[in-house]
C-alpha cells in the first residue's frame, strides 16, 4: 500500500504495528502520531496550508485518509485491550493490587562481627589465613600438644569421619576440626616466622543444639610468632582489640586458664555489654563476659612445626564470633543465629519492611 507521498509512506509500518501495542505503548504512540503539539501527522497537516493549490488538494486528502486509518487502528486496539482486561478481572486477577515490597539484603550479624574483628587486626599488620574444616587428628590435637589419650579426642566430644586420612597412618583419623588452632600448625609449617595471622572459620563439636550450644559455630584464631615476643605483646594487642571492638573505655581482665598448646594460658573477659559491670542475668551477676582463650605458644608446638623455640616465641588466641554477636546484640539463643529465620534476621539487621 502506498499513499503516493513518500513522507507519509514512512508512517505505514507504524500503522501496521498498532495492533501489537500494549496499553502504555498505545497511549505513547497516539501522542507521537496525532498529538497536537508534535504528532507526525499533525505536522503534515500543518504543511498542507503552505503548498500550491493543486498539490494541496491531493496531499491534504492523503493526510486525512491516513489520519482516519490511524484513528480507527487506535480505537480497535483499545477495544481489544479493554476486552482482555475485563477477561482477566473476571478470572479473579486484580491488577490494582499493590505490588510486593522489594527484598532488602544485609550482612548476617555473625558475618558483620567477623569482618569487624578481621579489619581491626588487619589494621595492626595481621594477614588472613584459612584452613580445611576436615582435619586429621595430628593437626587438630597431637601437633597442638594434646596427649594421645586426651578426652577431647573422645567420640563423644568430636565428630569423626569414616574415611581414612589421605596423609597416612601417623596423621590419625579424619574429623571435623573442633577449633581453628590446627591452622596455627599449618601456617607455621608453611611459612617460617615472623608470622602474624588471623584465621576465621567454622568449627564442629559433638554438642547439643540448645540455647547456648551448637554442633557448628565460628571461631577466629590469632597467631603472632617472632623473636622477642612476650606476654606483654599479647595483653596489649588484645586490649587494643577490645577497645576498638567494644568501645575505648571497655574494661578487660585476664584470668589464668589451661590449654595444652599455650603456656601460660589465660581467658580474657570484657565488662558485660548489657549491664556495663553492674551485674545482670546475662553475666550471671559477675559484671564480666568471657570472650576468648589465649596464651604463649607452647615450645613443643613450635618444635612440632620445626620452628626453633630457643629463638622464637609467640602468642595465640581463639574467640567465637557467634558468642560475641550474642553478647553485642543481646541475643539470648545461639540457634537464632544459625536457623536463618528471616523475621529474626530482618530485625537484627534493621531491614524489616
Ligand atoms: N582453641 C581454643 C578453644 O577452642 C582457644 C584458644 C586458641 C586458646 C588459641 C588459646 C590459644 O577453646
Amino acid at each position: 500500500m502506498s499513499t503516493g507521498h513518500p513522507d507519509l509512506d514512512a508512517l505505514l509500518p507504524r500503522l501496521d504495528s498498532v495492533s501489537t501495542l500494549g496499553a502504555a505503548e498505545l497511549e505513547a504512540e497516539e501522542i507521537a502520531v496525532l498529538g497536537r503539539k508534535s504528532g507526525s501527522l499533525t505536522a503534515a497537516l500543518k504543511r498542507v496550508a503552505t503548498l500550491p493549490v493543486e498539490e494541496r488538494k491531493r496531499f491534504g486528502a492523503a493526510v486525512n485518509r491516513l489520519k482516519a486509518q490511524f484513528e480507527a487502528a487506535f480505537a480497535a486496539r483499545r477495544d481489544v485491550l479493554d476486552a482482555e482486561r475485563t477477561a482477566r478481572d473476571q478470572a479473579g486477577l486484580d491488577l490494582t493490587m499493590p505490588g510486593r515490597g522489594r527484598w532488602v539484603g544485609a550482612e548476617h550479624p555473625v558475618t558483620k562481627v567477623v569482618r569487624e574483628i578481621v579489619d581491626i587486626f588487619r589494621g595492626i599488620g595481621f594477614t588472613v589465613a584459612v584452613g580445611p574444616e576436615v582435619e586429621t587428628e595430628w593437626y587438630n590435637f597431637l601437633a597442638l600438644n594434646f596427649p594421645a589419650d586426651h578426652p577431647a579426642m573422645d567420640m563423644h566430644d568430636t565428630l569423626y569421619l569414616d574415611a581414612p586420612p589421605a596423609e597416612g597412618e601417623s596423621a590419625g583419623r579424619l574429623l571435623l576440626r573442633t577449633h581453628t588452632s590446627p591452622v596455627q600448625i599449618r601456617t607455621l609449617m608453611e611459612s617460617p616466622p615472623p608470622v602474624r595471622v588471623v584465621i576465621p572459620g567454622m568449627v564442629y563439636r559433638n554438642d547439643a543444639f540448645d540455647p547456648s550450644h551448637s554442633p557448628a559455630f565460628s571461631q577466629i584464631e590469632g597467631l603472632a610468632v617472632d623473636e622477642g615476643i612476650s606476654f606483654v605483646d599479647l595483653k596489649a594487642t588484645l586490649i587494643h582489640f577490645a577497645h576498638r571492638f567494644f568501645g575505648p573505655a571497655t574494661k578487660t581482665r585476664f584470668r589464668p586458664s589451661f590449654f595444652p598448646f599455650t603456656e601460660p594460658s589465660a581467658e580474657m573477659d570484657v565488662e558485660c555489654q548489657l549491664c556495663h559491670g553492674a551485674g545482670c542475668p546475662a553475666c550471671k551477676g559477675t559484671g564480666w563476659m568471657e570472650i576468648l582463650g589465649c596464651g604463649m605458644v607452647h615450645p613443643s608446638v613450635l618444635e612440632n612445626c620445626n620452628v626453633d623455640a630457643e629463638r622464637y616465641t609467640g602468642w595465640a588466641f581463639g574467640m567465637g564470633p557467634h558468642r560475641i554477636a550474642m553478647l553485642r546484640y543481646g541475643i539470648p539463643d545461639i540457634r537464632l543465629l544459625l536457623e536463618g529465620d528471616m523475621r529474626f534476621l530482618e530485625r537484627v539487621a534493621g531491614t524489616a519492611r
Side-chain angles (χ1 to χ4, degrees):
M1 202 178 87
S2 167
T3 60
H5 299 273
D7 46 349
L8 294 183
D9 280 354
L11 287 169
L12 289 177
R14 288 169 68 176
L15 180 60
D16 287 339
S17 56
V18 168
S19 63
T20 65
L21 299 177
E25 296 165 330
L26 181 62
E27 205 168 305
E29 185 68 347
E30 283 201 74
I31 294 170
V33 176
L34 301 176
R36 221 176 300 158
K37 275 213 190 103
S38 53
S40 318
L41 270 182
T42 315
L45 264 177
K46 280 181 191 151
R47 227 169 53 238
V48 172
T50 68
L51 297 171
V53 192
E54 65 282 12
E55 218 180 315
R56 190 189 299 178
K57 256 198 176 159
R58 278 195 304 124
F59 187 69
V63 174
N64 276 319
R65 224 179 2 258
L66 190 56
K67 190 177 170 216
Q69 285 173 318
F70 264 106
E71 281 167 349
F74 288 143
R77 183 60 189 157
R78 198 181 312 282
D79 285 347
V80 171
L81 290 173
D82 284 350
E84 281 177 7
R85 198 179 37 226
T86 312
R88 267 197 311 266
D89 286 353
Q90 280 165 355
L93 265 179
D94 181 359
L95 297 182
T96 64
M97 245 165 69
R100 296 186 186 191
R102 226 175 250 224
W103 201 268
V104 179
E107 271 180 317
H108 188 282
V110 173
T111 308
K112 185 170 151 68
V113 162
V114 169
R115 186 176 47 70
E116 284 181 33
I117 295 171
V118 166
D119 281 351
I120 290 170
F121 282 96
R122 257 201 241 269
I124 51 174
F126 283 67
T127 56
V128 178
V130 287
E133 294 178 12
V134 173
E135 267 297 4
T136 65
E137 285 183 301
W138 191 77
Y139 280 109
N140 195 80
F141 293 120
L142 301 177
L144 287 163
N145 204 35
F146 283 73
D149 59 354
H150 194 282
M153 295 169 72
D154 197 281
M155 299 279 272
H156 294 290
D157 290 326
T158 304
L159 298 161
Y160 284 94
L161 279 75
D162 276 339
E167 297 170 53
E169 283 296 294
S170 60
R173 291 170 287 179
L174 276 185
L175 47 83
L176 296 181
R177 67 180 178 192
T178 60
H179 51 179
T180 42
S181 300
V183 194
Q184 289 188 32
I185 307 296
R186 291 184 176 274
T187 303
L188 285 174
M189 305 228 344
E190 235 165 64
S191 43
V195 160
R196 282 165 181 76
V197 289
V198 282
I199 304 149
M202 289 300 284
V203 304
Y204 304 88
R205 293 183 191 176
N206 195 359
D207 273 345
F209 196 41
D210 66 24
S212 50
H213 296 88
S214 162
F217 58 96
S218 57
Q219 283 194 337
I220 296 184
E221 193 85 8
L223 175 69
V225 179
D226 203 344
E227 285 180 67
I229 287 199
S230 76
F231 203 88
V232 173
D233 302 300
L234 179 164
K235 277 189 86 170
T237 309
L238 292 178
I239 291 170
H240 166 80
F241 160 74
H243 287 175
R244 288 292 302 275
F245 187 83
F246 293 104
T250 305
K251 291 200 193 73
T252 55
R253 72 174 183 185
F254 289 77
R255 287 177 292 106
S257 184
F258 175 81
F259 302 99
F261 41 94
T262 48
E263 179 60 32
S265 305
E267 266 153 42
M268 184 169 99
D269 298 342
V270 294
E271 68 185 63
C272 176
Q273 294 302 294
L274 301 184
C275 67
H276 294 284
C280 70
C283 60
K284 299 196 182 77
T286 63
W288 295 98
M289 287 178 152
E290 181 199 320
I291 63 155
L292 58 83
C294 60
M296 300 304 292
V297 179
H298 196 292
S300 305
V301 171
L302 295 175
E303 300 290 353
N304 288 341
C305 303
N306 306 313
V307 172
D308 181 357
E310 296 292 331
R311 181 169 167 202
Y312 293 104
T313 51
W315 56 266
F317 70 82
M319 59 178 124
H322 276 87
R323 258 184 61 84
I324 290 176
M326 290 169 74
L327 300 182
R328 177 191 250 189
Y329 300 111
I331 296 164
D333 189 328
I334 191 171
R335 293 174 296 187
L336 288 166
L337 291 170
L338 292 153
E339 285 168 341
D341 185 329
M342 293 305 293
R343 293 167 302 176
F344 163 78
L345 293 171
E346 284 173 348
R347 285 192 55 182
V348 182
T351 58
R353 284 171 287 150

